[in-house]
Each structure stands twice: as C-alpha cells, then as structure tokens.
Amino acid sequence: MQRGKTVLLVEDDPDIADTMADVLRESGYTVHCAADGREALGLLARIPRPGLILLDLMMPSMDGYAFRQQQQRDPRVADIPVVVMTACRPTENQIAGELDCAAWIHKPFALKELIALVARLCRPTPTNAAAAGR
Amino acid sequence: MSSSLAADGAQRPLSPATDWPPGSPAPGHLVQFYADEAFLAATVADFLAPAVAGSGAAVVVATPEHREAISGALASRGVEVPAAILEGRLILCDARETLCRLLRHGRVDEGCFQASVVPLIERLALRFPGHFRVYGEMVDLLWGDGARQDALRLEALWNGLLARQGFPLLCTYRLERFASAGDGEEFARVCVGHSHVLPAESYTREDDEEARRREVSRLQQQALALQQEVRRRREAEEELRRALAVRDEFLVLAGHELRTPLTALQLQAQFLLTLAEGVSEPVRGRLDRLEGQVARLAEVVEDMLAAFRLSEARVPLVLAEADLKDIVTAAADRLADSVRRSGCSVRIVTEEGIRGRWDGPRLTQVVTNLMTNALKFGRGGLVEVRAASKDGRALLWVRDEGPGVAPEARERIFERFHRAVPFTHASGLGLGLWIARRIVEGHGGRIAVENRPGPGATFLVELPLNPEKEG
C-alpha cells in the first residue's frame, strides 16, 4: 500500500479516469482528478503537492501539451514527474524533450503496468513542515 | 535541333558523314547522342574515315572497347588502320587516362588542358592543316561520374581551342545519361555548348527523306505521349500523397477513438477481477471471459492499426533510449491475464542493462506478439523469454513447449495473413508474426524460428543496439 503519496490524474474520459482513480486509491494513493489541463493547473494551486502527474494528451479546453508548458514554467510544480498517457504514437521530438516526461504509457495499458509505473515514479507527498520550507 | 540548308533549300538534319566531306572539313563542335554501341562505332567511323583515309589525320580519345570497335568500323570503310597508326595519322588515346591528365584536385583544369591537349592539336594543325578531325568521349565519362559541371567546363575549353584552331570535333553522350524528365535543362545546356547536335540513331540512320520525316513524326508523338504520361503520373503521385495524408490523419483519429474505450474497458474488467476474490465462481468466470474478450479485441485493434503503418516500404519508427528488460516486462504485464487463461507458466530471464536506441512501444508489440503466439500454441506448458546481449547486438528468445514449427513453414509463418492453423482452431488475423518481422527488420535486426531438436518452437530476435549507426 502506498500511504502518503498523492497522484494528480489529468484525463478527460470519465470511465478511464474513474477506474484509474479507483485502482490507485485501492493501492493506497490519494488521487485528485482533473478533466483537462486548465482544471489541473487550478488543482495544483490548491491541493498538497502531488508526487506524480498522470497526463493525457488529447483533451478539450487545455490539452496535455499546453498543460505541460505551463507546469514547466512554474518553479513550484515544474519538477513533479509526469507520466504521459497516450492513445497515439508520439513523435521523436516529443520523446526527445518537447514534453520532457518521466515515462510514456500507451493506451490501452494493463492495470498491472499502470500500478508498477506509478509505484516506481511517484514521490512521497511532503509533510506540512517540509512543504513550508520549500 | 541543329540543321543545315540543303541544295534544294529544304532543312535537313546534319550528319557527320555528309556534312564534313574530305578536303573541305567544316570546323565545328558536334555532339552525337547514342543508345546503341554499334551505331556509335559506325557514326564515329563515318566522321573520321574521310580524313584518315585520305591525306588527313584523326584522333580518337575513347574507352578501350570503343577504340576497338571504331578501329574495326574504320577498317570496314577501307582505312588501313595499322598503317595509319604507324604513319601518325590515326592517334588512339585512352579516354580515362587522358582525362586524368586534365584533372587537378579532381576538377577539370584549364592549365592541364593547355599543357596536354593544346600541343597535340597544334602539332596536328601544323602537319595536316585543315585535314584532321578529333573524336572524344571524356565528357561522357565525366557525365557518367556525376561530374556534370566538369563535363560542361571541358566542353567550354574545347570550344576555346576550336575558336583558335578550327577543326571538326565530335563528342558523344549516351542518351541514357539524360533518361529522366528532370534532365531536360542539363540536356539543353549540353546542346548549347555545341555548334551541331546529332540526334540518336533511331532518327539519323534513316536515309530516305520521307522515312526520316515519318520517323520524326513518330518520335514527336512519343515525346508528347511521354510528357503526358509524366504529367499524369505526377498528378497520380500528388493524389496518392494527399490520400496517404488523409489516411494517416484517419489512423491517428481511429487509433485514439478505438484505444480510449478499450483502455476504459480493459481497466474496468481487470479491476473488477481484482475485486472479485470473494464472489461466486460463475460470476468470476464470466468476468474472466469478459476480460479475455477485451484483451483479444485490443490485440486485433493493435494488429490492424500496425498493419496499415507497417505496410509502407520504410517502417516508421520513433527511436529513443530504451531498456530491453522494461520492454519485456511491459509485454509480460499486459499478458498477465492471458497467461493465466492459457494455463501456461512464464519464466523471464533477462540480463540487466541491455539498452539501445529502439522504438520501445513497437518492440513491446514484438514481444507481446511472440508471447501471445507462444501462449496460443504452448499447450499449457512453459513459455520462456530470455534476453541477452552479444557483440553489440541484443538477443531475445521466446520458447514454448507446443508442437513446434515444421521446417518447410519456418519462412512462411512470417508472411502477412499467414495462419498456422485454420480459422476454426485459433483466433487472430494472421498478422502477429508479420508485424514482428517488419518491426525487427525496420530496426535492422532479424527474426527467425530456431532449428532446435525436441518439441516446442523457439523464436530468436536479433537487434542492433543502435539501428541509426548501423544505417
């Protein structure tokens, strides 16, 4: 079980988002969900700093690319590792650095694959004292 | 096309045999295009014979084969070739050797030309004033070597010499040097560099004027038809490019629209299975079958989408740093439920740190397809996946304990839509091994069924660690 770890899940498909959130909560993570990039940026300002962001690319309003750009510009959240979830094949530029993500996961992925990846990359959520000193 | 005015006032094409009669050689720079070697020898002999058979001289700068053919053609026109050579009236030079003397730092050099060609021509002009002819094919060699600027430069140097000395000079080009539609501009530049242009044999060998005109009409019709054909093909290519762009756009969209609900289905089915520990066996069995069907659907969708992409001559790959162990683990994770359903057990033995510049998702598809194949035919036995590296190459084996692959089928099973067993016996599109082969070969690697004694099949994949480096 992964107590004390928080994941921000940015995914516009409610069925995928709900199931992923349930699966991750079942594994002990605290999960916050956003349906697009704009909502995710709003959440980042309000919730405790997550240890990992699971990011879909094709979303309405603000897509994964635009979210990632905004996130990288904000020093408070820029270093949170990001796993990009995609149903399309990324280009070399995207892999080489445009998105600069910790990992890619290709849809449709297996539950086991998702859990293993999140366990490997999600950092612990800082305690209040540590967060205050940040 | 250049032409001369005949006695009757009609325009007619120039011919070296008729337009430069012995005793009255018209100075000029002719270019003869040709396709047939025998025609070349005949036309050069026609050009030289009037000079060398009389009191004049001729220089031949040609390849050994052409020198031999021209000498033979001269002999058949009554020229005493050995005597003419002895008397210094027929000078045969090797085109490649002479060309080398004209080059400085690999380029045609005016100084070298002045030092080697000009003295020879001056000696001939002194000894045979107005009675010598020169044939050369160095420009054709340069053109064939891709040194087109040097060929044009050499033509210009000859033109400079002609302006001072005034003698007939014939050079030849193989017509095939200008075989593509884009060669028109350079062909025109070659023609501009000459005072007379002689068309290839299909035209000039016609002696009868009416036959000649008919041949011109036929060639004009062919040229027009070819121009139209080129235009039609360009339009078709453009249409094909547009269609491919539309197809690619559709594939991206279809991929997204198919994989998104599949992801939701697969995650929910797998999650329900994890929650179904305490439920009754029939319910759990139905959930298991549901998950199995979703996995099967996912496999078919991936194979179909890959089949479109991988049908192209060049396999589209996105190369990045990847670890073979991660690739094998991702494939095994995806197949965890399929493994359970198959009754097979899986053993994975991979060396650490086998890293390469590969298309990770595509290689995951290779391992997935090979493992799916092993689970399908493995008869509930052990499926072993091994990975190692040797001599700068990654090696991957997938072994099962099924019936194996007959020697005569070891190539065929990698063909598109090949099925090892009839439709009624196993599912799938018959694309899995073909996709694996296309991806592996796209990386510059190879895939094969190993010839091992005993039951079971072993598939071996060999991959370069850096496909880009290996070209």
Side-chain angles (χ1 to χ4, degrees):
Chain A
M1 294 296 275
Q2 303 284 340
R3 297 286 172 216
K5 286 188 177 179
T6 302
V7 172
L8 173 58
L9 173 60
V10 193
E11 166 66 62
D12 65 323
D13 187 287
D15 290 333
I16 295 178
D18 286 353
T19 315
M20 284 178 69
D22 284 349
V23 165
L24 292 171
R25 283 181 188 125
E26 193 72 17
S27 299
Y29 295 92
T30 301
V31 182
H32 296 276
C33 295
D36 62 44
R38 199 171 306 282
E39 196 181 330
L41 286 174
L43 268 178
L44 273 179
R46 295 198 307 273
I47 61 171
R49 181 186 160 87
L52 183 71
I53 298 171
L54 292 167
L55 179 67
D56 186 25
L57 284 184
M58 289 170 75
M59 292 179 293
S61 182
M62 181 188 278
D63 65 15
Y65 302 97
F67 166 80
R68 184 71 180 128
Q69 279 180 355
Q70 296 284 331
Q71 184 214 346
Q72 282 170 319
R73 282 194 203 125
D74 184 344
R76 292 169 301 176
V77 294
D79 64 337
I80 301 173
V82 171
V83 171
V84 171
M85 309 179 290
T86 178
C88 307
R89 284 174 55 72
T91 65
E92 266 175 23
N93 283 346
Q94 288 164 353
I95 286 182
E98 194 182 305
L99 280 157
D100 191 25
C101 55
W104 292 82
I105 187 164
H106 297 267
K107 294 177 181 174
F109 45 79
L111 204 59
K112 209 174 163 186
E113 204 179 345
L114 172 74
I115 292 169
L117 192 64
V118 175
R120 182 156 64 86
L121 295 172
C122 187
R123 299 172 184 167
T125 303
T127 60
N128 285 345
R134 192 172 72 204
Chain B
M1 183 188 303
S2 291
S3 57
S4 68
L5 206 60
D8 58 2
Q11 291 279 320
R12 65 177 175 76
L14 290 166
S15 150
T18 56
D19 290 301
W20 283 269
S24 59
H29 192 176
L30 292 88
V31 58
Q32 169 76 63
F33 296 98
Y34 73 98
D36 177 69
E37 299 285 326
F39 169 80
L40 171 79
T43 203
V44 174
D46 282 346
F47 171 70
L48 299 175
V52 80
S55 55
V59 178
V60 175
V61 187
T63 61
E65 299 77 23
H66 286 175
R67 289 201 306 275
E68 192 181 337
I70 292 165
S71 297
L74 282 170
S76 71
R77 283 157 177 76
V79 174
E80 298 281 349
V81 172
I85 293 172
L86 277 174
E87 291 162 14
R89 292 187 303 103
L90 179 59
I91 300 166
L92 301 174
C93 307
D94 184 77
R96 184 63 73 181
E97 279 178 24
T98 310
L99 179 60
C100 286
R101 288 203 293 274
L102 302 186
L103 301 179
R104 189 181 174 85
H105 304 307
R107 308 300 305 269
V108 168
D109 180 74
E110 185 174 0
C112 296
F113 185 83
Q114 296 291 348
S116 58
V117 174
V118 174
L120 171 69
I121 298 299
E122 284 175 347
R123 279 199 303 277
L124 287 170
L126 276 174
R127 190 176 163 199
F128 307 99
H131 294 276
F132 69 95
R133 299 176 181 199
V134 179
Y135 165 69
E137 49 193 41
M138 290 186 288
V139 282
D140 184 59
L141 289 182
L142 283 166
W143 207 271
D145 292 344
R148 298 180 169 196
Q149 291 304 319
D150 284 289
L152 293 170
R153 176 155 179 72
L154 184 54
E155 296 280 21
L157 290 172
W158 277 111
N159 281 337
L161 184 58
L162 274 172
R164 295 194 299 279
Q165 293 291 349
F167 59 93
L169 167 66
L170 172 67
C171 59
T172 56
Y173 285 85
R174 286 170 212 268
L175 198 58
E176 69 185 31
R177 306 270 195 230
F178 309 90
S180 88
D183 290 333
E185 200 175 311
E186 287 190 316
F187 182 79
R189 289 180 70 191
V190 170
C191 293
V192 164
H194 294 84
S195 56
H196 305 293
V197 177
L198 304 172
E201 53 267 41
S202 58
Y203 175 47
T204 51
R205 295 307 286 176
E206 295 294 340
D207 295 328
D208 174 64
E209 194 62 29
E210 178 55 29
R212 202 186 278 262
R213 272 196 284 270
R214 286 172 188 272
E215 190 59 21
V216 171
S217 300
R218 190 182 68 81
L219 290 172
Q220 283 175 336
Q221 183 275 329
Q222 277 189 355
L224 183 69
L226 281 171
Q227 277 176 1
Q228 293 294 323
E229 184 61 25
V230 167
R231 188 180 56 78
R232 271 196 295 273
R233 287 186 186 208
R234 279 192 182 143
E235 283 171 3
E237 268 177 33
E238 190 49 44
E239 203 171 307
L240 185 63
R241 259 194 293 273
R242 278 197 296 268
L244 283 174
V246 170
R247 185 207 68 174
D248 286 348
E249 202 176 320
F250 171 76
L251 282 178
V252 169
L253 192 67
H256 184 266
E257 291 306 303
L258 287 167
R259 285 170 179 143
T260 299
L262 265 174
T263 307
L265 266 174
Q266 190 162 295
L267 287 175
Q268 291 187 66
Q270 289 176 352
F271 185 44
L272 282 174
L273 268 174
T274 65
L275 298 177
E277 291 294 337
V279 301
S280 65
E281 193 48 44
V283 174
R284 191 175 163 76
R286 283 178 190 279
L287 278 175
D288 195 31
R289 274 191 280 174
L290 170 70
E291 201 281 334
Q293 291 301 321
V294 173
R296 184 176 162 191
L297 186 59
E299 183 191 325
V300 169
V301 165
E302 287 309 307
D303 282 357
M304 277 174 61
L305 291 171
F308 281 111
R309 294 278 186 206
L310 301 175
S311 296
E312 292 165 21
R314 192 172 181 278
V315 176
L317 296 175
V318 181
L319 302 180
E321 277 290 312
D323 190 310
L324 190 54
K325 189 176 181 179
D326 291 345
I327 288 166
V328 171
T329 306
D333 283 349
R334 278 182 199 186
L335 292 171
D337 289 304
S338 302
V339 171
R340 183 174 43 74
R341 274 189 296 274
S342 70
C344 292
S345 55
V346 171
R347 181 162 65 208
I348 294 174
V349 185
T350 58
E351 275 179 19
E352 294 288 335
I354 308 174
R355 296 185 66 79
R357 274 191 67 75
W358 299 314
D359 189 320
R362 287 277 186 235
L363 284 187
T364 306
Q365 198 171 4
V366 171
V367 182
T368 305
N369 288 3
L370 290 179
M371 286 184 70
T372 301
N373 200 60
L375 296 173
K376 204 181 278 180
F377 297 103
R379 292 177 174 165
L382 174 71
V383 170
E384 188 178 59
V385 184
R386 281 181 176 273
S389 65
K390 192 181 176 190
D391 301 330
R393 293 176 88 77
L395 304 172
L396 178 95
W397 292 268
V398 178
R399 189 170 66 83
D400 65 54
E401 295 180 335
V405 182
E408 65 273 15
R410 283 182 187 155
E411 269 300 312
R412 212 168 55 234
I413 54 169
F414 292 104
E415 288 171 10
R416 193 168 7 184
F417 305 121
H418 175 81
R419 300 177 60 82
V421 292
F423 254 117
T424 46
H425 289 64
S427 62
L429 297 172
L431 287 169
L433 291 178
W434 174 78
I435 287 169
R437 190 187 69 179
R438 292 288 294 153
I439 294 170
V440 169
E441 289 181 351
H443 281 83
R446 69 177 194 98
I447 184 169
V449 184
E450 280 199 327
N451 191 8
R452 287 191 179 191
T458 302
F459 286 79
L460 168 64
V461 172
E462 255 188 71
L463 287 170
L465 297 180
N466 192 341
E468 288 164 319
K469 213 172 175 179
E470 295 203 6

